[in-house]
Amino acid sequence: MDKKLVVSSSPHILIKESTPKIMYTVTASLIPAGIGAVYFFGIRALWIMLIGIVSAVITEFVIAKMLKKPVTVTDGSAVLTGLLLSYNVSVQVPLWMPAVGAFFGIAVGKMVFGGLGYNPMNPALLGRAFLLASWPAKMTVFDKAVPQGGTVSGIDMMTSATPLNVYKSSHEILANSSQYSIEKVQQANEALGKLYDSIEGLFWGKIGGCIGETSAALLLLGAAFLMYKRYIGWKIPFFYIGTVAVLSWIFGAPDSYFGGNVLFALFSGGLILGAFYMATDMVTSPVTFRGRIYFGIGCGVITFIIRRYGGYPEGVSYSILLMNLVAPLLDRYTQPKIFGGRKKK
């Protein structure tokens, strides 16, 4: 017999996709949002992206050399981490901050656990969480991050706060109107009304925020490409965004139920960026059908709670990081029934 029988462990079905191909395709899908960031915020946005990418690649290279492990920087995962980290900071942060955030994300969030495939949390979000905890003032100031043809908040009279900041402060005033003057309450009502009129600007990118989350339209364009290539599924983004939409509709109005503005909740902040590009990370999200549904719902619930009741106006990063930690448990308890087997009673 010329051909011998080959016996091996699973998986037995091979596809043509590879880690570098997937990573560079995801990176390419983020290019429209990156071009939009440079258009809206200027060439400084490009410098921040390049610094984040270079810092991530160098960090992974040096640590791999120090640990005498195979150097895998060409697989594109460090490039993607650096780019996503830079998309999660304001254009006015000092240029050393994306370098520090990318270093922390790669060193502590990835290499400590053994590299790609072993990290329990999304490295880019871990780097952003580190920056936010260490330098909150620099990470939450957007007064100089004015987009081309727009304003930071979407309201002409407010030039330094993001839409979610204005929403949170106005919501607080209206929910406790007896503690504020009539003039203050009227101003909060006007601010909310103008925010809801600015949804078109939120969708196209004429309102301030982190450099990669500004234009929902450009992010959705890249996400559609990834879904067409089947690199990301629909379950996590659908249930994540859907949960935020439902909760924001029910509890989003300051003085009544079922009166919240759903479109504002969806297009403001980093929800689109997080739901399609970071919550769907293959390494840190569940693989089972029901696990992905629960993961998306959990991200949505935590995001809404932080936005509505937390100290920060945005909760996308922390919600995904927290759900990353329970992803193994979701996989364990949502395993499908083995073919021919029976459910345990």
Side-chain angles (χ1 to χ4, degrees):
M1 294 176 64
D2 294 334
K3 294 183 179 180
K4 297 179 181 178
L5 177 65
V6 178
V7 179
S8 65
S9 61
S10 60
H12 303 295
I13 301 175
L14 300 177
I15 59 175
K16 296 179 180 177
E17 308 295 348
S18 63
T19 299
K21 184 179 179 182
I22 294 173
M23 292 297 167
Y24 286 119
T25 302
V26 176
T27 301
S29 73
L30 286 163
I31 289 177
I35 294 173
V38 175
Y39 169 77
F40 290 122
F41 297 117
I43 198 68
R44 186 179 173 83
L46 180 60
W47 280 113
I48 289 176
M49 293 180 218
L50 292 175
I51 290 171
I53 291 171
V54 171
S55 174
V57 171
I58 291 176
T59 300
E60 183 166 321
F61 178 83
V62 171
I63 292 178
K65 282 290 186 184
M66 289 172 60
L67 298 177
K68 297 182 179 179
K69 287 188 171 184
V71 176
T72 56
V73 292
T74 56
D75 66 10
S77 61
V79 172
L80 182 58
T81 296
L83 184 62
L84 284 173
L85 184 282
S86 65
Y87 275 24
N88 278 278
V89 299
S90 163
V91 73
Q92 70 183 86
V93 297
L95 293 179
W96 54 264
M97 285 189 71
V100 173
F103 168 80
F104 187 88
I106 292 291
V108 179
K110 181 178 175 183
M111 300 306 287
V112 163
F113 297 98
L116 182 65
Y118 301 97
N119 50 294
M121 291 181 282
N122 186 299
L125 287 180
L126 198 63
R128 183 186 188 275
F130 173 73
L131 293 178
L132 189 59
S134 303
W135 299 280
K138 296 183 185 299
M139 286 289 288
T140 55
V141 174
F142 295 87
D143 59 325
K144 296 177 183 175
V146 183
Q148 175 84 11
T151 62
V152 176
S153 66
I155 302 174
D156 290 339
M157 62 183 180
M158 294 184 181
T159 57
S160 60
T162 63
L164 283 177
N165 271 312
V166 176
Y167 172 82
K168 198 171 185 67
S169 59
S170 300
H171 205 284
E172 172 66 22
I173 293 171
L174 294 175
N176 303 282
S177 56
S178 60
Q179 301 175 18
Y180 296 90
S181 65
I182 295 175
E183 184 183 8
K184 203 79 174 173
V185 173
Q186 288 176 341
Q187 288 176 351
N189 258 321
E190 289 177 13
L192 274 187
K194 290 182 177 179
L195 276 182
Y196 295 158
D197 291 337
S198 67
I199 290 172
E200 184 180 350
L202 281 172
F203 183 75
W204 292 112
K206 292 184 177 180
I207 292 178
C210 295
I211 63 174
E213 66 185 29
T214 301
S215 173
L218 296 176
L219 290 171
L220 289 172
L221 180 66
F225 174 66
L226 291 181
M227 296 189 90
Y228 167 74
K229 296 287 290 182
R230 304 186 71 175
Y231 287 168
I232 62 173
W234 61 272
K235 303 174 197 71
I236 291 175
F238 178 82
F239 282 95
Y240 188 173
I241 294 173
T243 301
V244 172
V246 170
L247 293 177
S248 299
W249 174 56
I250 298 175
F251 302 106
D255 52 0
S256 64
Y257 296 113
F258 304 101
N261 191 306
V262 173
L263 291 179
F264 176 80
L266 299 188
F267 294 141
S268 57
L271 181 60
I272 300 296
L273 178 65
F276 285 100
Y277 293 94
M278 291 183 282
T280 54
D281 179 12
M282 294 178 182
V283 177
T284 57
S285 61
V287 297
T288 64
F289 183 92
R290 286 187 296 137
R292 290 178 178 178
I293 293 175
Y294 297 150
F295 184 86
I297 293 173
C299 287
V301 170
I302 297 173
T303 296
F304 175 78
I305 290 174
I306 294 176
R307 281 185 175 186
R308 181 71 174 81
Y309 304 105
Y312 289 110
E314 180 57 290
V316 169
S317 299
Y318 287 114
S319 70
I320 297 174
L321 286 173
L322 290 172
M323 289 305 296
N324 285 161
L325 296 176
V326 300
L329 285 176
L330 290 176
D331 274 337
R332 180 174 180 178
Y333 290 107
T334 58
Q335 289 182 3
K337 185 179 67 174
I338 299 173
F339 183 73
R342 291 182 179 179
K343 270 189 174 180
K344 292 182 180 178
K345 294 183 179 179

